[in-house]
Amino acid sequence: MSRPLLFTNARLVDPASGKETRGALLVKDGTIADLGASLKTAPDGADTIDAKGKVIAPGLVDMRAFLGEPGAEHRESIASGSLAAAAGGVTTVVSSPETNPAVDDPAIVDYLLRRARDTAIVNIHPAAALTKGLRGEEMTEIGLLKQAGAVCFTDGAKTIANARVLLRALTYARDFDALIVHHTEDPDLAGNGVMNAGEYASRLGLSGRTIEAETIILERDARLVRLTKSRYHAATITNRDSIDIARRAKDEGLSFTCGTSINHLSFNEQDIGDYRTFYKVAPPLRTEDDRLALAEAVRTGLIDVIVSDHTPQDVEQKRQPFAEASDGAIGIETMLAAGLRLVHADAVSLPVLLRAMSTRPAEILGLPGGRLEKGAAADLILFDPDEPFVLSPSALHSKSKNTPFDEARLQGRVLRTLVAGKTVYEYA
């Protein structure tokens, strides 16, 4: 059993309550034993760390990351992905089911949990496929998959185009109180588009994907949630019109939550510049007006969750003409630093940012975490929100290096990450 650990002189940020205090925090037996301004002395045998005024907060909970196993270990593995997560302050990861084979059988969920137990340094929870083989046709055994340990059900970056299939899945999931996480982009409307539709796409000579490809599916899904009274989460909304749909669904009292990706909060379509494929993501980056609307929706809490949408791709898949390159960017290690751009720009407060990256995803998934309180699991991060640095892709821990933050100036460094009271990452 590890010795108690006392952090002194810390800025304690609890996103669950929105409170910030100065003081100390004691970790003992894997939990937060005590915290606050009145905590002064360490128990016998404890190690003491002077936080020097830096932030201690709950570890981040990332609802959407691809970890490669099984079938794509050359792009990422559970071990490398969890190391990248720890370095980014992420203590809990929901792994995407878009593996080979897809996570559509309880035996694969069990395999992933065992691999995570043996190789991961952060908490890994599998998401299971919503349809067999991610084909959008035949529903999986939601009850058995949940019993095996799946925390939510999704076809990842694939949309279930058949409304009847989704209706059945929502109805079935309701009976198991299971969460459906859905990618909302009509594949027929998206067609062969490779970036946001509009003037900029025309100037680049690239085919576009309209926001209606997203909003039509989102509007349809809201109606199905109203019909079934099931638990639904839109994985990544990306534009102002989708925010309006989410607002109406929430005002109606539906069990409807939504997220967006750190990429869509950080960049707009013009960042593609001279056909830079690291900015090719799905759904595509939108306009600056949409990006600002997303940030405002995070500030107000209308958007519940920010995800990394961590999608490792090898060089061969990205070093292609823009139209032919694969979608996706890595982001699990840079999510916090990128999000802090919003804080430094006064678009959101630090507790609000952390709430979207830890408290709300934990609440929606029904997982522990996201709270800085006595008795909570000591899944914690110590970070300096002001330390500037230039991101070098070679310094990242992911197996793939397709980061849109290549050589970007960022501000905010993770200094230490703890999972269940054990230090799993320390910045040297």
Side-chain angles (χ1 to χ4, degrees), residues 324-345:
E324 299 169 22
S326 297
D327 293 327
I330 60 171
I332 203 167
E333 193 168 342
T334 52
M335 181 166 69
L336 178 60
L340 286 169
R341 282 181 164 181
L342 300 174
V343 176
H344 294 306

Side-chain angles (χ1 to χ4, degrees), residues 22-45:
R22 297 276 179 174
L25 184 145
L26 176 64
V27 174
K28 186 177 180 182
D29 298 335
T31 63
I32 300 173
D34 201 358
L35 74 166
S38 60
L39 178 60
K40 301 291 185 185
T41 57
D44 292 341

Side-chain angles (χ1 to χ4, degrees), residues 184-214:
T184 51
E185 191 172 36
D186 186 296
D188 294 320
L189 268 181
N192 295 321
V194 295
M195 66 170 293
N196 186 44
E199 179 186 345
Y200 197 64
S202 299
R203 285 166 54 190
L204 292 178
L206 297 172
S207 56
R209 290 149 85 161
T210 65
I211 64 169
E212 283 73 18
E214 177 176 311

Side-chain angles (χ1 to χ4, degrees), residues 35 45 126 128 219 225 247 284 310 335 358 391 401 405:
L35 74 166
E219 186 75 59
V225 173
R247 179 183 292 109
H310 183 72
M335 181 166 69
S358 61
L391 184 85
K401 306 301 179 187
F405 292 99

Side-chain angles (χ1 to χ4, degrees), residues 251-301:
D251 288 347
E252 196 177 333
L254 303 180
S255 182
F256 184 107
T257 55
C258 59
T260 193
S261 85
I262 192 62
N263 297 318
H264 292 91
L265 287 166
S266 302
F267 307 113
N268 64 40
E269 60 181 356
Q270 301 213 7
D271 284 299
I272 291 170
D274 190 17
Y275 305 98
R276 301 162 72 185
T277 58
F278 283 5
Y279 293 84
K280 188 184 180 193
V281 295
L285 300 174
R286 303 297 187 183
T287 66
E288 178 64 5
D289 177 68
D290 287 319
R291 190 191 71 81
L292 294 173
L294 293 172
E296 175 62 13
V298 170
R299 187 190 69 79
T300 62

Side-chain angles (χ1 to χ4, degrees), residues 31 37 43 60 84 90 125 224 255 259 281 296-297 313 339 369 390 412 426:
T31 63
L60 309 187
V90 178
H125 296 280
L224 294 179
S255 182
V281 295
E296 175 62 13
Q313 301 284 12
V390 176
E426 185 173 2

